[in-house]
């Protein structure tokens, strides 16, 4: 049986690749060390506001309503971190010249994205855990943790973060502020995330089927709360937006100004 001989150049490249990723993660942690605790507190308050605050507006809460509020808290927390907070912070970094500096570094552009994905993915976990805890305490719901549900949670996180990066890299600062406000207002008020989609007009439901926000909420609701089966079209929509927005972010990082 022949053993595989590892080329020294290949080993050096792999070692250098992981060292780049490690260095970028450390650099991101230093940059965000003050902001991350603030984001954690904001997520905790948002999760409690959705689970407890919106419950005050509904006189009678049945099992379905409780599940929608609980899964909605998780989904909106992920959207807030990925599409709003991450987008605004990256937009500020772009204005400060940090993004331009990153483009000059002899590192893989994919590593830059992966490092930020990891940082913001971990940053959104406190809100996710708080939403699960609040749901369990407030509504006495059982949360179904499994390999598939955790994988779909990570998939949803990465999708929202990649959309936030794409918005920040391609739009000016004013455009980023406007877009993030539209996303949050639409998510909180008009998207069927915290309530069933059958309450909306049919034409709006068709639009939301092609966007990643409601489809991501459907996936999380199905996987963690078991209210319905996971729809393949929802999964494909989320995957499409992840790949599409990540590709646009890579193109933006690869540009030479």
């Amino acid at each position: 049986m022949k053993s595989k001989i590892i080329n020294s150049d290949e080993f050096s490249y792999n070692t250098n690749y992981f060292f780049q990723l490690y260095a970028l993660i450390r650099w991101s942690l230093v940059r965000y060390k003050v902001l991350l605790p603030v984001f954690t507190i904001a997520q905790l308050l948002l999760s409690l506001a959705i689970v407890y605050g919106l419950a005050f507006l509904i006189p009678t809460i049945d099992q379905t309503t409780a599940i929608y509020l609980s899964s909605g808290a998780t989904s909106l927390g992920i959207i807030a971190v990925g599409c709003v907070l991450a987008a605004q912070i990256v937009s500020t970094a772009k204005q400060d010249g940090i993004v331009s500096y990153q483009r000059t570094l002899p590192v893989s552009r994919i590593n830059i994205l992966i490092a930020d994905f990891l940082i913001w993915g971990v940053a959104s976990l406190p809100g996710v855990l708080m939403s699960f805890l609040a749901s369990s305490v407030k509504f006495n719901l059982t949360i179904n943790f499994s390999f598939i549900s955790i994988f779909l949670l990570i998939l949803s996180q990465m999708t929202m973060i990649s959309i936030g990066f794409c918005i920040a890299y391609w739009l000016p600062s004013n455009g980023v502020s406007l877009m993030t406000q539209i996303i949050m207002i639409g998510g909180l008020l008009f998207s069927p995330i915290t309530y069933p989609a059958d309450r909306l007009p049919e034409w709006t439901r068709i639009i939301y089927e092609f966007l990643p926000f409601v489809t991501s909420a459907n996936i999380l609701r199905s996987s963690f709360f078991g209210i319905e089966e996971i729809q393949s079209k929802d999964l494909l929509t989320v995957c499409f937006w992840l790949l599409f927005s990540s590709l646009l972010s890579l193109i933006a990082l690869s540009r030479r100004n």
Side-chain angles (χ1 to χ4, degrees):
M1 183 175 180
K2 296 182 179 180
S3 60
K4 182 180 179 180
I5 300 176
I6 301 177
N7 185 277
S8 59
D9 292 336
E10 180 182 355
F11 178 78
S12 176
Y13 172 78
N14 291 333
T15 304
N16 186 50
Y17 182 87
F18 288 109
F19 177 78
Q20 288 180 9
L21 182 59
Y22 171 73
L24 288 168
I25 292 174
R26 285 194 60 187
W27 185 43
S28 297
L29 285 174
V30 171
R31 288 169 53 203
Y32 301 141
K33 65 180 180 180
V34 177
L35 296 175
L36 289 178
V38 178
F39 293 161
T40 299
I41 296 174
Q43 291 176 76
L44 299 180
L45 294 176
L46 177 62
S47 298
L48 291 175
I50 294 173
V51 173
Y52 284 88
L54 291 182
F56 292 142
L57 302 176
I58 304 173
T60 304
I61 297 181
D62 55 14
Q63 184 78 356
T64 301
T65 303
I67 290 176
Y68 270 89
L69 288 177
S70 302
S71 61
T74 305
S75 302
L76 289 175
I78 293 174
I79 294 173
V81 172
C83 296
V84 179
L85 294 178
Q88 292 176 351
I89 295 302
V90 173
S91 178
T92 302
K94 187 171 67 173
Q95 287 181 293
D96 295 338
I98 295 177
V99 173
S100 297
Y101 172 70
Q102 285 181 315
R103 292 194 183 109
T104 66
L105 295 175
V107 297
S108 169
R109 300 302 182 256
I110 296 179
N111 267 349
I112 295 176
L113 281 183
I114 292 176
D116 283 342
F117 276 150
L118 292 174
I119 295 297
W120 288 104
V122 172
S124 66
L125 286 179
V128 172
L129 297 177
M130 176 54 70
S131 65
F132 288 152
L133 178 61
S135 303
S136 179
V137 173
K138 175 66 176 178
F139 304 119
N140 196 27
L141 294 176
T142 301
I143 314 298
N144 303 318
F145 290 97
S146 65
F147 176 80
I148 295 178
S149 62
I150 294 174
F151 170 78
L152 293 176
L153 173 63
I154 296 174
L155 177 65
S156 299
Q157 285 180 307
M158 296 301 102
T159 301
M160 298 307 150
I161 294 170
S162 66
I163 292 173
F165 289 166
C166 184
I167 292 172
Y169 286 135
W170 285 98
L171 295 181
S173 58
N174 293 336
V176 172
S177 299
L178 177 61
M179 183 60 68
T180 54
Q181 291 178 22
I182 290 174
I183 289 174
M184 280 310 295
I185 292 174
L188 284 170
L189 299 178
F190 301 107
S191 299
I193 293 177
T194 55
Y195 55 85
D198 55 15
R199 299 181 184 178
L200 290 175
E202 183 65 26
W203 64 271
T204 58
R205 294 171 58 184
I206 295 175
I207 293 175
Y208 284 127
E209 287 180 356
F210 293 97
L211 296 176
F213 310 111
V214 175
T215 51
S216 178
N218 293 340
I219 289 174
L220 295 178
R221 186 181 309 111
S222 301
S223 58
F224 282 100
F225 297 93
I227 191 174
E228 56 191 9
E229 294 293 328
I230 299 174
Q231 300 296 320
S232 58
K233 63 178 181 180
D234 291 339
L235 189 58
L236 290 174
T237 300
V238 173
C239 291
F240 166 78
W241 280 98
L242 172 61
L243 295 175
F244 178 68
S245 55
S246 297
L247 178 61
L248 289 180
S249 297
L250 281 174
I251 293 173
L253 282 173
S254 301
R255 291 186 304 172
R256 297 289 183 180
N257 292 335

